[in-house]
């Protein structure tokens, strides 16, 4: 499934993009007056391979949940059981992601890809089959990345496959936009480690305060990220970090040649296994799945963009399917977005995750596409041009 | 109506705001993790005087249309008849504001408050009664503000009354959020003049390229704004410009004492009449009407924030009802927002007007409010705290 998915990912369609640009120029508005929405509509036409591209409706958020062995290092004041408690809260419809999804008209699917313990829904549903919960646990939490790799290569690949499968199931059920979400106490620590590893930036610059940690915990968190990344940085950085130039090439569509790409892919899975979380792996797969189906994937916060760096290494053309939903307050998110060459649609100082930032961006994405469907041209409306 | 409306505008309710802050702290999310949305929800509770405040639904955009005598000075490459043509396009549902409103679920009402000629809908509807068009023309376009006041005091007050009345009618019909929109070829010129007059900033710093003018036209536009503002600046600036300190006081609720406020109000109407457009006056009234009904008003672009400066002079507490929808690419918009003490929700380089930026912000506003309605508390969901 992994190889098939990657093989199905294609560059954006230049003809559809040219058609969208030409259409934008004929619509009854000053050229360029819709700012970032115009280029967004052009990219989505390129992704769909047709102009106008389909409206991104219905939309589906997948909340991938996982726990983290690195929690033992004291990187967060929240107890680990909050992951399972919040999963139950989301399944019950009581979290912010549910409120936003209800407001904006998206479905929410919670996927247990790596929760350490699941008493709440095990008790309720006899083993993870509660409504709105997909039980695909690969491992009951990662290992502590400061004492060895967080995951084996096979576990990382299995979690990627979970994301690919969930994307396929949601698209099969009719979704025309996929939104990334996650829940996992301590998961901004592996997110920061992934970003440091893939961008080469200093751990202190990509590590943030997550849900709000004090100075002492923050210093410990930076140290944890630094040690985890140092353990394999020789190997990983040897394959070259995907700086802006490389990102530009991704968007421009040129995939690297096969032998190089196999090596890059192996390296990316190795980094992911070393410091990633099961939800980061699943989100990377979810992005690949969306791209293979030519459906836009709206990225949420720092965990999503960390996973996006993994996905971009596995299949550079998948960047064309990504829409940066928002700029998380976590500093690593900005670093990752810059490396991916993506500008976020919403920037409101949010740092909640769950998919909340992606949801706020959805109406903007839909509005950008709807312009190509609904707006009259100067000719059709009888409006004079300047 | 004008005096009654102003008298009805009250400060935000401190008790409802405190209740909203206390509720935010109990919801299942890290404190502060919703960034700007948390304070927005608190302000809207204060506006409604209850926690949670009502959802801002249904929402209604009013597109106030007007023409400008200053068009004769060559400040834009677009012919003046485009105002009437675009009004017809909006009434027919073919403009970007219609596409966005359809996507986001808002109604669109077009108000002819100052269009120079209205052949399209006169012909269709026998005098301005076309469906979706409100005919309340105060004057068929303003006078050229470089040769004298654009409006008489009575015309300005009549146009303000149009906005107050439209706000009242929409709220009466059930609207729980009002969004400002406008259409008027050349109207970024009077908007810049209003902003320069009320903030004291240099015309070159608040004047932008509107729909996209060349260097020569831009230089002419700045000169036009400078001459128009200079003509009365002695009088106006004598009453004190509403800098950040004054704005802070507005939000903090203290209205200035009666005699001072009458003088400030008279001065504001004088400035509005001197350099404003009929749509700016109507939007100022629309804002006052929203505030009097304790319904949030989402501001669109540079014309809206210019009108908001007028409204804030007429009734400082109306700033509490304002939500800055987006940051227009016009530089004057940023200056005006700073003076009002408002941070925009969306910032995507848009400069179309019509109400499009306000519409993109609407789902964000609704999501912020819905959190207070729908999200479980730590206690109710059985989620552990840190």
């Amino acid at each position: 499934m992994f190889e098939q998915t990657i093989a199905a990912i294609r560059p954006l369609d230049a003809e559809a993009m040219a058609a969208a640009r030409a259409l934008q120029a004929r619509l009854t508005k000053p050229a360029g007056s819709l700012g970032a929405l115009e280029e967004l509509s052009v990219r989505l036409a390129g992704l769909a391979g047709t102009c106008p591209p389909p409206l991104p409706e219905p939309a589906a958020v997948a909340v991938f949940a996982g726990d983290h062995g690195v929690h033992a290092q004291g990187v967060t004041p929240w107890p680990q059981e909050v992951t399972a408690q919040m999963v139950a809260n989301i399944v019950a419809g009581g979290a912010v992601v549910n409120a936003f999804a209800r407001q904006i008209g998206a479905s929410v699917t919670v996927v247990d890809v790596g929760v350490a313990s699941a008493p709440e829904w095990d008790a309720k549903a006899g083993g993870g089959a509660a409504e709105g919960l997909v039980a695909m646990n690969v491992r009951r939490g990662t290992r502590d990345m400061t004492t060895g790799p967080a995951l084996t290569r096979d576990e990382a690949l299995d979690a990627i496959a979970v994301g690919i499968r969930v994307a396929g199931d949601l698209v099969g059920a009719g979704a025309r936009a996929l939104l990334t979400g996650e829940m996992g106490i301590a998961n901004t620590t592996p997110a920061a480690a992934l970003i440091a590893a893939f961008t080469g930036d200093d751990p202190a610059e990509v590590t943030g305060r997550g849900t709000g940690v004090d100075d002492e915990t923050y210093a410990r968190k930076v140290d944890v990220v630094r040690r985890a990344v140092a353990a394999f940085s020789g190997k990983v950085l040897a394959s070259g970090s995907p700086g802006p130039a490389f990102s530009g090439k991704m968007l421009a569509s040129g995939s690297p040649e096969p032998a190089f790409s196999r090596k890059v892919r192996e390296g990316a899975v190795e980094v992911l296994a070393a410091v990633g979380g099961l939800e980061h792996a699943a989100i990377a797969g979810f992005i690949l799945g969306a791209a293979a189906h030519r459906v836009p994937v709206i990225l949420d916060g720092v965990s999503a963009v960390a996973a996006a760096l993994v996905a971009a290494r596995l299949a550079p053309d998948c960047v064309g399917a990504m829409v940066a939903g928002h700029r998380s307050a976590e500093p690593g998110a900005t670093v990752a977005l810059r490396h991916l060459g993506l500008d976020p649609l919403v920037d409101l100082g949010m740092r909640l995750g769950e998919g909340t930032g992606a949801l706020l961006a959805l109406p903007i994405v839909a509005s950008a596409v709807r312009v190509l469907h609904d707006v009259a041209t100067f000719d059709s409306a009888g409006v004079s041009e300047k």
Side-chain angles (χ1 to χ4, degrees), chain A:
Chain A
M1 185 158 64
F2 180 64
E3 294 295 338
Q4 267 183 333
T5 301
I6 284 178
I9 296 171
R10 297 261 176 280
L12 297 177
D13 185 292
E15 206 171 314
M17 291 173 80
R21 279 202 188 92
L23 178 54
Q24 282 283 3
R26 294 198 308 275
L27 301 177
T28 45
K29 59 174 181 57
S33 60
L34 284 175
L37 271 65
E38 297 195 12
E39 194 55 26
L40 176 59
S41 77
V42 168
R43 281 184 62 207
L44 294 180
L47 177 65
T50 182
C51 175
L55 285 168
E57 298 169 335
V61 189
V63 179
F64 296 97
D67 276 306
H68 302 273
V70 74
H71 186 277
Q73 296 293 324
V75 291
T76 171
W78 296 85
Q80 190 173 60
E81 66 257 29
V82 171
T83 302
Q85 291 168 348
M86 280 301 298
V87 165
N89 191 23
I90 298 171
V91 169
V96 179
V97 67
N98 305 104
F100 282 15
R102 221 170 277 136
Q103 182 62 42
I104 285 156
S107 66
V108 177
T109 302
V110 191
V111 183
D112 171 10
V113 65
V115 181
S117 66
E120 300 259 351
W121 60 90
D122 280 358
K124 268 190 209 150
E131 203 186 343
L133 178 73
V134 178
M136 289 182 166
N137 194 294
V138 168
R139 187 186 152 80
R140 293 228 166 264
T142 58
R143 297 173 195 83
D144 182 349
M145 66 175 177
T146 63
T147 59
L151 296 166
T152 65
R153 182 176 177 279
D154 282 350
E155 287 163 350
L157 289 172
D158 284 353
I160 290 173
V162 165
I164 293 175
R165 183 157 153 207
V166 170
D169 288 350
L170 290 172
V171 173
R176 290 298 168 264
L178 299 181
L179 284 68
T180 74
E182 46 58 50
M183 171 50 59
I185 296 302
N187 75 7
T188 60
T189 299
L194 287 169
I195 294 167
F198 283 111
T199 67
D201 271 35
D202 191 273
E205 275 167 35
V206 301
T207 303
R209 287 171 186 262
T211 50
V213 300
D214 60 23
D215 290 350
E216 193 188 320
T217 309
Y218 177 68
R220 193 158 52 230
K221 187 172 172 182
V222 171
D223 179 61
V224 160
V225 172
R226 190 181 302 285
R227 281 188 288 137
V229 173
F232 64 85
S233 64
K235 258 185 279 187
V236 174
L237 294 177
S239 66
S241 90
F246 184 66
S247 310
K249 207 165 72 179
M250 286 187 223
L251 278 173
S253 95
S255 306
E257 53 84 18
F260 174 71
S261 68
R262 201 169 311 115
K263 191 181 150 199
V264 169
R265 288 215 296 265
E266 285 300 321
V269 172
E270 197 179 350
V271 174
L272 175 63
V275 300
L278 289 150
E279 67 271 46
H280 301 103
I283 295 171
F286 189 67
I287 292 167
L288 296 173
H293 289 288
R294 309 191 75 94
V295 166
V297 56
I298 307 182
L299 306 179
D300 188 40
V302 71
S303 284
V305 295
L309 290 172
V310 179
R313 282 295 187 101
L314 297 174
D317 285 327
C318 80
V319 177
M322 296 178 192
V323 175
H326 85 133
R327 183 191 307 283
S328 158
E330 284 286 292
T334 293
V335 172
L337 288 170
R338 194 169 57 232
H339 278 258
L340 292 162
L342 299 174
D343 287 321
L345 294 174
V346 171
D347 189 356
L348 293 169
M350 285 166 57
R351 50 179 171 79
L352 177 57
E354 297 181 4
T356 52
L359 279 162
L360 290 189
L362 177 62
I364 298 175
V365 177
S367 297
V369 173
R370 190 177 277 271
V371 166
L372 295 178
H373 286 259
D374 286 14
V375 176
T377 60
F378 283 104
D379 275 355
S380 73
V383 174
S384 310
E385 296 194 54
K386 66 180 178 181

